[in-house]
Amino acid sequence: MDNNSLPLANDNDDDAPQQPPSTVTRTPPKSGGIYTFKDGKYVELNMEEVESRMHQHSQDDDAEDEDDEDQAVDHNNDEEADGIYKDDDAAPPVKRFRLPAIIERPILCQQAESQKRRLYIWIGAVAMLVVVLSILLGVVLAHNNHANTEGSGSVSGVMPPVIEEPDDKNPTTTTTTTTNTVLSTSSLTIEDLRNLCSDSDSTMNTSMTLSEELLQRRDDLASLLQDDIPIILAHSCAPSNLALLWLAAHIPLEDHAEEFLNRFILTTLYLATSGESSWTTPATLFHDSEDDWLLQNNGAAVCDWKGVTCDEQDEVTSLILKSKNLTGTLPGDELAQLSKLQVLDLSINALTGTIPEAVVTLPNIVRLDLSLNKFTGTIPNAIFSQTQLQKVNLADSGGTLGGLIPTSIGTLVALEQFLARGINAQGTLPTELGNCASLKFLDLSKNSLQGRVPSELGSLLSLQSLYLKENTGIVEVAPEVCNLMTEGKLMAFDLKNQCNME
């Protein structure tokens, strides 16, 4: 049998074989289709006809009994093998093209799989197109936003001036329209306060306007301070005025005066030393980093603020703001109102300017730590007259003593620790240091001291550590001081080599 020929299903029940006419070829017009021989020619069947014929074929098979089915199969196979047809003058009267089920099902499955593959390819292509278009749209929007931000130059809702181009016919005419941002009690933020005074240290930004309600509440709060704080100008950029504006927008007016005064002082301190960013606390092994000190504490009572400790009368007695990235200058007039303050620790920050005398002369201060900052100017000599002081740390503060250590240091009878490394102290060590009977730690290294370590220091029986290194002018140590080493009282002395002992 020819490989290109197809078996044809014949519904004629005649036993005589039939021969197709010689003018009709048995090769289908094209491969890959399903055909039937009808009216002397091959006709391609569509999918509906194929399915219909397969359904009819299945019904016929069920109707035939097993013996007739085997006889028909053998008879058809013999006819195909011999090429014999009953009628030599006519084409086979084919009514239905029938393929064995084992051939029909794979063909239909292959076509279904092919259709599924094409569908999946189209779906994948559409999905890829959507993704690409989304990416391109995002890039375009991001570029436009960036261009608008750079072009406008606006920050925190401040609209830039809108300048109309001059008319070609009248080039001398130019109209400038400026849109002001109105700051109210419901919208004021820390960033607004920074932008309010970003252009000048003394006057407010003219593109920002304070609402009448905000100004009125600010004036009401200022009246509560008239007996404690100097007059604060309503439109100045002083930290104290910015603090009043903040409090006017964020605290109720019925807060009692004592609570308000403490809140005002600490808010002023924050705004004076927060610079371009908020205070931060770096992360350590034991706790995560913290920032926005004012915002974190704003809704709480002052005595519950981080770093603040109060007594039973809600007076602030301790203020520890160590390593919080403080910058700027200390507001001395406001801090001076903390009359009950005993501990002030502002170490390891970046404070600048001079150390206010009002800070070192707080009446109840016993512990003052301003070390590791960037102060400039001289350290107030008034610090050496505070007889209640117990611990003073000015090491590497940036401030300079700019002269001799005053003899009044001998009046600090409660002084236990005096650390003043690198403050440019000059001259000789005053013998009055021998009167500081409670002194345990004394560090005057990296200064410009000279002469002899006085014997009076040998009477300080509580002295445990004495650091005087990097004072190139010190040439001799009194034997009485060296005796403290031999007696085991002085545990650390960086000039012990001058005592002829190791």
Side-chain angles (χ1 to χ4, degrees):
M1 181 177 179
D2 190 355
N3 292 333
N4 293 328
S5 65
L6 295 175
L8 300 179
N10 193 343
D11 291 339
N12 192 352
D13 295 332
D14 295 336
D15 295 335
Q18 297 182 6
Q19 180 68 31
S22 58
T23 58
V24 178
T25 177
R26 295 180 59 82
T27 301
K30 59 181 179 179
S31 60
I34 299 176
Y35 300 85
T36 184
F37 194 82
K38 183 177 181 180
D39 298 332
K41 59 182 179 180
Y42 284 99
V43 178
E44 184 175 3
L45 300 179
N46 57 35
M47 289 303 300
E48 293 181 359
E49 292 174 332
V50 170
E51 292 177 357
S52 176
R53 289 170 182 265
M54 287 180 63
H55 180 69
Q56 183 64 37
H57 175 69
S58 176
Q59 291 178 347
D60 292 343
D61 286 345
D62 292 340
E64 294 176 356
D65 56 80
E66 184 176 353
D67 293 336
D68 293 340
E69 188 178 35
D70 292 340
Q71 182 179 358
V73 171
D74 294 338
H75 179 71
N76 291 336
N77 289 341
D78 292 339
E79 287 180 347
E80 289 180 357
D82 297 335
I84 299 174
Y85 296 86
K86 292 183 178 182
D87 189 358
D88 295 335
D89 299 329
V94 177
K95 297 181 180 179
R96 181 177 68 253
F97 177 74
R98 181 184 301 169
L99 286 175
I102 195 171
I103 298 177
E104 291 175 342
R105 291 192 183 98
I107 292 175
L108 295 176
C109 290
Q110 290 176 3
Q111 292 179 344
E113 290 296 330
S114 177
Q115 290 179 348
K116 287 183 180 179
R117 283 195 297 270
R118 286 196 294 269
L119 178 62
Y120 292 155
I121 291 173
W122 275 105
I123 293 175
V126 172
M128 288 294 294
L129 181 61
V130 171
V131 171
V132 172
L133 291 177
S134 299
I135 294 174
L136 292 176
L137 181 61
V139 171
V140 171
L141 292 177
H143 176 73
N144 290 340
N145 290 338
H146 180 69
N148 292 337
T149 302
E150 289 186 347
S152 63
S154 61
V155 292
S156 185
V158 179
M159 296 297 295
V162 179
I163 302 177
E164 297 182 2
E165 294 295 333
D167 192 344
D168 293 338
K169 298 180 180 180
N170 188 10
T172 60
T173 303
T174 301
T175 303
T176 302
T177 304
T178 302
T179 303
N180 288 345
T181 298
V182 179
L183 303 179
S184 64
T185 55
S186 61
S187 63
L188 188 67
T189 66
I190 292 295
E191 194 65 27
D192 289 334
L193 292 179
R194 292 196 180 103
N195 293 331
L196 188 61
C197 293
S198 60
D199 296 335
S200 173
D201 292 334
S202 57
T203 59
M204 292 185 177
N205 192 335
T206 56
S207 65
M208 306 182 78
T209 304
L210 304 177
S211 69
E212 292 296 329
E213 179 188 8
L214 182 60
L215 287 174
Q216 182 59 51
R217 295 187 65 175
R218 177 251 173 232
D219 292 342
D220 293 339
L221 292 178
S223 64
L224 300 176
L225 302 172
Q226 58 186 0
D227 295 333
D228 303 304
I229 304 295
I231 297 175
I232 303 172
L233 298 178
H235 292 278
S236 73
C237 283
S240 55
N241 186 48
L242 299 182
L244 282 176
L245 291 173
W246 171 263
L247 295 173
H250 292 278
I251 71 165
L253 293 177
E254 56 269 19
D255 279 12
H256 58 84
E258 199 63 48
E259 166 74 8
F260 171 71
L261 177 60
N262 290 335
R263 192 181 294 268
F264 165 77
I265 293 170
L266 296 180
T267 303
T268 301
L269 174 62
Y270 175 87
L271 293 172
T273 59
S274 60
E276 296 298 326
S277 60
S278 302
W279 290 358
T280 58
T281 301
T284 67
L285 182 63
F286 304 102
H287 61 76
D288 297 331
S289 62
E290 300 175 356
D291 55 10
D292 295 325
W293 183 82
L294 182 62
L295 298 181
Q296 285 183 353
N297 296 319
N298 192 51
V302 170
C303 295
D304 294 330
W305 288 18
K306 293 182 181 298
V308 179
T309 304
C310 298
D311 59 14
E312 295 179 354
Q313 288 74 38
D314 291 337
E315 295 279 1
V316 178
T317 58
S318 176
L319 185 57
I320 300 177
L321 300 172
K322 178 180 180 179
S323 187
K324 285 191 176 292
N325 194 34
L326 274 64
T327 60
T329 60
L330 292 177
D333 291 338
E334 287 74 21
L335 289 176
Q337 301 303 315
L338 299 176
S339 58
K340 302 295 183 180
L341 192 65
Q342 300 176 14
V343 177
L344 179 60
D345 187 347
L346 302 176
S347 61
I348 317 178
N349 284 294
L351 294 169
T352 56
T354 59
I355 299 176
E357 184 170 328
V359 171
V360 301
T361 57
L362 287 166
N364 290 291
I365 194 75
V366 295
R367 176 184 162 192
L368 178 64
D369 192 341
L370 301 176
S371 61
L372 296 170
N373 274 286
K374 298 179 180 180
F375 289 112
T376 56
T378 59
I379 298 172
N381 281 338
I383 193 174
F384 298 106
S385 61
Q386 302 301 301
T387 57
Q388 79 282 356
L389 278 172
Q390 297 176 8
K391 297 181 180 180
V392 177
N393 190 351
L394 301 173
D396 298 322
S397 61
T400 61
L401 192 59
L404 304 176
I405 298 175
T407 58
S408 59
I409 194 173
T411 63
L412 306 183
V413 294
L415 190 63
E416 299 177 1
Q417 176 179 293
F418 187 72
L419 308 179
R421 179 181 65 249
I423 64 169
N424 193 29
Q426 302 173 7
T428 60
L429 287 171
T431 58
E432 286 78 7
L433 274 171
N435 297 330
C436 300
S438 301
L439 194 60
K440 297 178 181 179
F441 304 96
L442 178 61
D443 185 356
L444 290 169
S445 58
K446 293 178 64 176
N447 281 292
S448 301
L449 298 173
Q450 56 188 353
R452 185 173 185 261
V453 178
S455 59
E456 285 77 7
L457 292 183
S459 63
L460 299 177
L461 301 181
S462 298
L463 192 62
Q464 300 175 15
S465 300
L466 177 59
Y467 297 100
L468 297 172
K469 226 173 185 180
E470 297 187 57
N471 285 283
T472 56
I474 294 181
V475 295
E476 184 181 356
V477 178
E480 290 81 0
V481 178
C482 295
N483 290 339
L484 293 176
M485 292 286 295
T486 58
E487 294 172 2
K489 295 182 176 63
L490 186 59
M491 306 302 296
F493 182 32
D494 58 1
L495 293 182
K496 62 181 181 179
N497 60 321
Q498 296 194 25
C499 294
N500 296 321
M501 56 186 299
E502 297 295 335

